[in-house]
Amino acid sequence: MQNGSGGLSDGSRYSYDRYYSNYIPIPDLRFTMLSPINSDFGILWGFGTGESGDKYRIDPSLQIGFLYIETLGDNEWLSLLVSTRLFGYLREKSCTANYGAVGGIQTVNCRMADSLMAPSETLEYLENRAPQDQFTVSLRYQFRF
């Protein structure tokens, strides 16, 4: 999200980095561990640290799930991994923009302040979404030769 730039009324450009750089130069770190229950089954668990900047926040997250492995032969396996990530939402904050004599000072989506849309309409496009890996299901066949 931090790549890009916007335009000012005088024609100059500004970088989104000042809004979308994280406070601490460490991105959202995620850790996933496997606790084996037996040789075929294990519990996945983990967490994400979260991240925040001036105009966004990624909430900390928890991950839970399981891994089941079925041995089909000496060199072949079928595995099923199912997991979910709780929390970890990305939330984007608005900016204040000065549109001068045309529109005055208004609240706007920072990334869309120089678009052709009315400033109030850009607020509908503020990000507020779940993590992309909120639900994961993976079925894998493996054969080694």
Side-chain angles (χ1 to χ4, degrees):
M1 210 191 262
Q2 78 184 57
N3 295 332
S5 63
L8 299 174
S9 60
D10 65 2
S12 63
R13 306 291 295 168
Y14 67 93
S15 173
Y16 291 151
D17 285 349
R18 69 185 205 204
Y19 299 126
Y20 295 104
S21 292
N22 50 351
Y23 293 134
I24 302 171
I26 298 173
D28 179 27
L29 296 176
R30 293 182 175 180
F31 300 90
T32 303
M33 281 63 84
L34 176 65
S35 297
I37 303 299
N38 59 40
S39 62
D40 298 333
F41 186 80
I43 301 294
L44 281 171
W45 58 279
F47 64 93
T49 60
E51 173 183 326
S52 63
D54 190 34
K55 296 298 176 184
Y56 77 99
R57 175 176 169 76
I58 299 173
D59 296 329
S61 62
L62 296 172
Q63 181 181 12
I64 56 172
F66 68 87
L67 173 65
Y68 176 75
I69 300 173
E70 180 70 34
T71 303
L72 302 175
D74 288 340
N75 295 319
E76 58 184 330
W77 302 269
L78 186 65
S79 63
L80 174 65
L81 180 141
V82 177
S83 74
T84 187
R85 184 166 299 280
L86 307 172
F87 316 110
Y89 277 73
L90 166 67
R91 299 180 194 329
E92 188 176 21
K93 301 173 190 171
S94 62
C95 287
T96 302
N98 187 346
Y99 291 94
V102 175
I105 296 175
Q106 295 194 39
T107 302
V108 66
N109 180 323
C110 305
R111 294 176 293 108
M112 301 177 80
D114 63 347
S115 73
L116 298 176
M117 298 173 110
S120 60
E121 289 177 17
T122 66
L123 297 174
E124 296 173 27
Y125 296 94
L126 287 171
E127 294 288 351
N128 184 10
R129 64 177 178 208
Q132 289 181 328
D133 61 345
Q134 185 176 23
F135 300 105
T136 302
V137 176
S138 172
L139 183 62
R140 180 173 157 181
Y141 171 77
Q142 187 173 2
F143 178 78
R144 291 195 183 161
F145 54 93

